[in-house]
Amino acid sequence: MSAAPGLERPQVVSHAQQALNYTVFDCKWVPRSARLLCLGSAARGTGLVQLYELRGARLELLREIEKPKPIKCGTFGATSLQQRYLATGDFDGNLNIWNLEAPEIPVYSVKGHKEIINSIDGVGGLGIGEGAPEIVTGSRDGTVKVWDPRQKDTPVANMEPVQGESKRDCWTVAFGNAYNQEERVVCAGYDNGDIKLFDLKTMSLRWETNIKNGVCSVEFDRKDINMNKLVATSLEGKFHVFDMRTQHPTKGFASVSEKAQKSTIWQVRHLPQNRDIFMTSGGSGSLHIWKYEYPAQRSKKDSEGAEMGVAGSVSLLQNVTLSTQPISSLDWSPDKKGLCVCGAFDQTVRVLIVTKLNKI
Amino acid sequence: MPLWLREHRWHQTPTAVFLSLPLRGARATPANIFCSERYLKVSIPPFLFEAILYAPIDDTNSTAKIGNGNIFFTLYKKEPAMWDSLTLENADKEKLQHLRENAVLKAQQKAKEEIEAKKATKEEHKKYALEATMKLEEAERKRIEDLKEKERQRVTEELELWKKQQKDADKYKSIQKEGELHQEIGQLKEKKSEKTTKTRIPNEGTSKTTPKPTKGCHGSCSIFSPNAKEEQLPAPRSVATIKINFTPRVFPTALRESRVAEEEEWLHKQAEARRTISADLSELEDLKEEEKNPDWLKDKGNKMFAMGNYLAAVNAYNLAVRLNNKLPLLYLNRAACHLKLRNLHKAIEDSSKALELLTPPVPDNEDARVKAYVRRGTAFCQLELYTEGLQDYEAALKIDPKNKNIEEDAEKIRHLIQGTMQSS
């Protein structure tokens, strides 16, 4: 693990900061704008959505929307660029899609799960990729459900434990492999260390593994290409990078893992403009920026002649500690390279600029 | 007694005194020389030279050269004057002593002062060094801060620029859309006039396309564009379920590598605990069918008793009791074994238990009860608790008055009691 030399390294510059009076669980940039959303839970047990605009070195509150249940996660992934509807999952298991211009009544609402929706992801929107817009939610009740905003009340896919199996918390979900209208996969991470990859085209479990620590966050480097890399972060400060181009019949995907911090790695987010750079946020309030380097040969044949992937290596570009509390959410701006927002449990949301990413 | 060195030679100038002291083969080091303002001493055991000087000298600047079996002193006078002699003559002993002491004290003081001075300078140097490093670090920090600040400003500017671009782009787009919208309206009006039955173009479309401010454009735009797009989007997926299995985990908490060892240990302990409790049950698993039958075990016990193998009998009865602890006969028979084994307390216990279980007293269990009483009585007597024993025997007699043996035994006990009472 080598760090790039001295001042050529990307620097993380704190651009703006906003103290909040509620717990922020998720923060997202509004696509094609300098606005960002903070989703969370107010002290009185209601949900809050706040819309901020970045003006100079300050965040200005444009709008505040209060909802009856605390909101855990949100995504713009399945909405069109004109509509920019926000899909949220709340503590009660409700999936709602909101038009932020008229937020009183949701555009789509369903009580999707029996328990809190831990994680949500959307694909097919924002002019990225092809295929129907879909939203996937992962919940504490152990199920992962895929929703189509055009279909009310029932999910289009449901990944649930077999009858009689005791459920495990699903902590994170992510879409991937959506490079044409038919193909799509969903990756889900659970608290017992399981990572499962579901193929939505064949409606089957394509791969599963266990990384020995509860899985906090999974993300493909790009949702809309043939699946290339998957990063899974976990408790105990570890993360794994899987090379998803070659699947071996028994060994699955090749991976490389790093132990970065002593504490949980809460989130991983890939830079939208460069799929080999990603940032992880940790329970000690720190951010690490990593770069993945591909090996000379991405696949090789094993003793039986089956193709086997070869994992590359990960190097640390920069790390910075911003807070004493865990940084639970992270989002890169899809429009401005290096601009990112992070929300931490110290009730602060910070806008950061990562410089020199062009030189990597 | 030191050997005085007296063969010194000296000469002087107005400002200095030169003294030459031959050492008689002795080797001198600077440590042997002691000099103060008025006192000079050279002590090389066993040789000794001392001189109370005529006038004070500047001992810091004076020098002594050791070499060639000689010590050559160059003493600088404090006051330039010619001395009558090197040493003070006619100095009485007291004065000499006094002077000597003074000299020593002075020398010590001087040494102290020197040390202090040295320390002070050292401190100053340290301080200076520290301040210098601090300044350097400060400068470095500032430099980095400045760089960062510059970056920030640069980026902020870029950001503002980009934002402006966005706004302009949006405006441009909205103007464009309006243009398209007007085109659409034109087309619609044409189509309407054609009396089309197409429900594709919704009526809502027409109502909404009546002139509205640019804001409404966004709403109505979306009606058209998604319509067009929807044709390209695939239909919603057909509903399906995938059933999954989880890697088994006993604990409801999340899996952490560092805790795995502890968890394993706990599970192990639980398993152990469970194993000891069900040890009985597991042992019983090993027994054959018949061995699980308390009656069969009782018979076995009886046979053992008859053979005189009392321990084996007890074992058999124990196992039987474990299987079924409500059978009085088991306790009864075990009591008999204990009697034979002279486990008298156990015999009493078992008989008592048997009697408990033999309630209510019915003719059916007369025999058993008699036996129980008799056995308990015997046990008591053997423990020399004769009164208790008698009680039991009498109880037995009450049940079965016709039993001669019991009567006789009871008599015996009575006698014993009376006997002891008499003797005590």
Side-chain angles (χ1 to χ4, degrees):
Chain A
M1 196 180 84
S2 61
L7 280 170
E8 326 261 282
R9 291 204 275 174
Q11 302 292 326
V12 178
V13 176
S14 173
H15 184 74
Q17 177 161 313
Q18 179 74 14
L20 308 166
N21 58 356
Y22 61 94
T23 312
V24 59
F25 287 112
D26 204 359
C27 48
K28 284 276 181 314
W29 287 100
V30 177
R32 294 288 167 88
S33 71
R35 279 179 251 138
L36 60 93
L37 276 178
C38 294
L39 310 169
S41 157
R44 48 184 175 277
T46 54
L48 270 180
V49 177
Q50 284 190 330
L51 181 66
Y52 285 94
E53 176 150 29
L54 192 59
R55 294 218 184 125
R58 280 173 42 250
L59 280 172
E60 236 182 73
L61 177 64
L62 291 183
R63 198 177 211 165
E64 184 168 309
I65 305 165
E66 193 164 339
K67 290 295 161 199
K69 294 283 171 204
I71 299 177
K72 181 72 169 47
C73 49
T75 180
F76 281 108
T79 175
S80 69
L81 278 170
Q82 294 91 347
Q83 290 175 328
R84 294 187 279 186
Y85 290 164
L86 174 70
T88 59
D90 69 11
F91 274 46
D92 225 16
N94 299 313
L95 166 66
N96 292 312
I97 303 183
W98 307 96
N99 178 354
L100 293 171
E101 308 285 323
E104 297 78 39
I105 304 178
V107 169
Y108 178 92
S109 176
V110 65
K111 179 150 167 71
H113 294 271
K114 299 190 195 85
E115 297 190 61
I116 178 179
I117 294 180
N118 278 318
S119 171
I120 192 171
D121 195 16
V123 74
L126 299 178
I128 302 172
E130 305 180 45
E134 282 175 335
I135 297 171
V136 65
T137 52
S139 161
R140 201 151 181 273
D141 65 5
T143 61
V144 172
K145 295 188 184 172
V146 182
W147 309 87
D148 189 313
R150 301 167 292 179
Q151 181 168 298
K152 281 189 167 308
D153 298 330
T154 30
V156 294
N158 183 0
M159 285 66 125
E160 58 181 13
V162 301
Q163 197 73 343
E165 174 101 16
S166 61
K167 61 176 182 66
R168 301 302 322 181
D169 263 357
C170 173
W171 277 356
T172 177
V173 288
F175 271 118
N177 206 31
Y179 62 91
N180 66 23
Q181 295 208 351
E182 289 95 29
E183 292 284 347
R184 210 160 272 187
V185 302
V186 168
C187 182
Y190 298 83
D191 73 337
N192 66 344
D194 278 348
I195 299 179
K196 295 188 195 294
L197 193 67
F198 304 105
D199 188 330
L200 293 182
K201 182 172 166 196
T202 60
M203 277 302 179
S204 63
L205 176 66
R206 184 155 160 186
W207 167 68
E208 61 181 342
T209 183
N210 187 302
I211 58 173
K212 306 280 184 296
N213 281 298
V215 184
C216 296
S217 174
V218 287
E219 199 194 37
F220 285 95
D221 56 355
R222 287 280 178 276
K223 287 188 240 200
D224 56 334
I225 58 170
N226 198 349
M227 50 182 194
N228 188 34
K229 290 202 310 298
L230 172 72
V231 176
T233 70
S234 72
L235 305 173
E236 313 267 298
K238 282 207 177 144
F239 68 88
H240 302 249
V241 183
F242 295 92
D243 184 319
M244 305 299 271
R245 277 283 157 87
T246 323
Q247 181 169 10
H248 188 269
T250 47
K251 293 188 197 145
F253 296 103
S255 76
V256 61
S257 86
E258 273 300 328
K259 185 169 159 87
Q261 305 141 272
K262 284 216 188 97
S263 53
T264 311
I265 300 187
W266 284 74
Q267 279 278 22
V268 61
R269 285 283 178 259
H270 288 89
L271 185 63
Q273 293 87 0
N274 182 340
R275 65 184 184 188
D276 298 322
I277 298 181
F278 57 92
M279 184 148 76
T280 56
S281 70
S284 49
S286 60
L287 292 175
H288 292 244
I289 304 180
W290 305 87
K291 178 164 165 67
Y292 180 79
E293 265 121 25
Y294 294 95
Q297 280 209 307
R298 282 188 75 173
S299 73
K300 61 177 189 212
K301 290 211 188 290
D302 71 352
S303 47
E304 278 118 43
E307 285 285 330
M308 196 166 96
V310 177
S313 63
V314 171
S315 63
L316 179 66
L317 292 178
Q318 182 61 272
N319 78 326
V320 62
T321 303
L322 298 171
S323 162
T324 50
Q325 298 288 326
I327 297 181
S328 58
S329 59
L330 199 49
D331 194 33
W332 292 103
S333 166
D335 308 297
K336 180 95 185 69
K337 184 169 184 176
L339 183 65
C340 64
V341 65
C342 64
F345 282 149
D346 60 358
Q347 299 197 339
T348 316
V349 66
R350 295 174 174 85
V351 176
L352 310 165
I353 297 170
V354 182
T355 60
K356 300 205 182 73
L357 287 172
N358 290 317
K359 306 207 183 113
I360 305 293
Chain B
M1 273 300 299
L3 290 172
W4 293 96
L5 294 170
R6 298 216 192 269
E7 301 129 351
H8 57 277
R9 281 172 283 115
W10 70 291
H11 60 279
Q12 63 174 309
T13 67
T15 47
V17 173
F18 302 102
L19 172 63
S20 156
L21 182 67
L23 308 164
R24 287 209 240 125
R27 266 188 238 197
T29 62
N32 299 121
I33 305 175
F34 177 75
C35 177
S36 79
E37 272 187 358
R38 286 198 78 164
Y39 180 67
L40 177 64
K41 177 174 84 162
V42 180
S43 155
I44 307 165
F47 301 109
L48 178 63
F49 168 80
E50 73 170 8
I52 313 287
L53 298 166
Y54 188 80
I57 57 155
D58 189 357
D59 56 327
T60 33
N61 288 333
S62 309
T63 59
K65 229 193 252 171
I66 306 171
N68 294 334
N70 235 339
I71 305 184
F72 194 71
F73 289 97
T74 312
L75 310 168
Y76 292 100
K77 297 182 187 168
K78 265 219 173 126
E79 286 160 14
M82 294 307 279
W83 289 4
D84 291 340
S85 70
L86 179 65
T87 59
L88 264 183
E89 306 295 334
N90 310 322
D92 56 37
K93 222 174 177 177
E94 259 187 50
K95 202 169 178 214
L96 278 172
Q97 183 81 333
H98 193 70
L99 273 170
R100 265 194 221 120
E101 279 175 13
N102 260 6
V104 173
L105 274 170
K106 269 214 191 107
Q108 276 180 353
Q109 243 179 357
K110 227 195 210 165
K112 232 193 257 171
E113 272 167 26
E114 252 173 48
I115 291 173
E116 300 274 310
K118 246 200 206 159
K119 241 202 239 168
T121 38
K122 219 176 159 188
E123 291 284 336
E124 260 192 59
H125 284 157
K126 260 199 211 159
K127 236 180 165 179
Y128 180 70
L130 191 64
E131 271 173 21
T133 38
M134 274 173 71
K135 262 194 220 140
L136 276 172
E137 278 177 7
E138 193 60 46
E140 182 66 27
R141 218 179 305 162
K142 219 168 165 279
R143 193 177 65 88
I144 292 178
E145 280 296 326
D146 282 339
L147 275 170
K148 279 203 181 146
E149 194 54 44
K150 248 191 258 163
E151 280 283 354
R152 266 188 71 176
Q153 281 178 359
R154 191 177 62 85
V155 176
T156 317
E157 280 168 22
E158 278 184 27
L159 208 58
E160 292 297 309
L161 194 63
W162 167 74
K163 268 175 64 186
K164 240 181 105 225
Q165 282 178 353
Q166 288 293 332
K167 279 209 185 108
D168 291 339
D170 278 341
K171 249 187 247 162
Y172 181 65
K173 268 201 203 128
S174 63
I175 294 170
Q176 254 196 340
K177 285 237 173 79
E178 231 177 274
E180 283 179 18
L181 191 57
H182 285 159
Q183 281 189 9
E184 297 276 4
I185 294 174
Q187 285 183 12
L188 264 178
K189 288 207 175 120
E190 283 178 28
K191 287 207 170 141
K192 252 207 148 178
S193 62
E194 286 176 12
K195 276 184 30 202
T196 176
T197 51
K198 266 197 171 175
T199 49
R200 260 273 143 197
I201 300 156
N203 283 333
E204 319 142 33
T206 41
S207 59
K208 275 209 173 157
T209 51
T210 46
K212 263 204 163 183
T214 39
K215 222 188 175 182
C217 156
H218 286 285
S220 44
C221 288
S222 50
I223 294 179
F224 289 110
S225 13
N227 268 348
K229 239 199 161 178
E230 260 187 63
E231 297 182 48
Q232 300 163 9
L233 288 177
R237 234 174 264 280
S238 41
V239 178
T241 312
I242 304 176
K243 294 283 184 186
I244 56 176
N245 284 307
F246 293 111
T247 311
R249 182 168 164 76
V250 177
F251 300 91
T253 53
L255 177 61
R256 279 172 199 271
E257 252 184 323
S258 56
R259 298 279 165 80
V260 169
E262 289 171 16
E263 288 175 356
E264 288 286 296
E265 217 188 292
W266 174 244
L267 286 175
H268 203 64
K269 274 200 195 142
Q270 294 289 76
E272 285 279 2
R274 250 177 277 134
R275 238 181 285 143
T276 43
I277 295 173
S278 59
D280 311 355
L281 298 173
S282 64
E283 265 183 21
L284 296 173
E285 305 289 324
D286 298 333
L287 298 176
K288 290 182 273 190
E289 233 7 84
E290 47 190 21
E291 289 176 330
K292 290 189 205 162
N293 185 356
D295 285 318
W296 183 88
L297 285 166
K298 187 166 68 84
D299 285 336
K300 205 67 176 158
N302 292 349
K303 274 186 221 155
M304 294 293 165
F305 187 95
M307 281 198 298
N309 189 348
Y310 302 116
L311 280 174
V314 168
N315 275 336
Y317 292 133
N318 282 344
L319 190 51
V321 158
R322 273 209 333 227
L323 287 168
N324 186 345
N325 57 3
K326 300 281 182 239
L327 295 176
L329 291 177
L330 296 174
Y331 293 100
L332 197 55
N333 293 358
R334 202 167 69 176
C337 299
H338 282 309
L339 267 183
K340 292 288 180 184
L341 290 168
R342 302 228 44 172
N343 294 336
L344 301 170
H345 287 97
K346 288 221 174 125
I348 294 170
E349 258 178 52
D350 277 349
S351 322
S352 310
K353 187 83 187 170
L355 281 170
E356 259 176 51
L357 289 168
L358 285 169
T359 49
V362 283
D364 231 1
N365 51 26
E366 256 180 57
D367 274 338
R369 273 184 293 129
V370 167
K371 282 193 198 149
Y373 279 122
V374 168
R375 284 169 193 168
R376 203 167 68 177
T378 323
F380 277 132
C381 291
Q382 296 199 352
L383 284 170
E384 301 196 340
L385 299 168
Y386 296 115
T387 24
E388 278 79 13
L390 190 54
Q391 273 177 359
D392 272 349
Y393 270 95
E394 290 187 347
L397 264 179
K398 235 185 4 190
I399 305 172
D400 186 5
K402 300 198 191 90
N403 194 322
K404 289 280 167 175
N405 283 332
I406 298 173
E407 227 188 298
E408 279 168 27
D409 289 344
E411 255 328 297
K412 273 191 221 153
I413 297 167
R414 255 178 240 125
H415 284 307
L416 270 168
I417 293 173
Q418 279 166 3
T420 47
M421 276 173 64
Q422 274 178 356
S423 56
S424 57

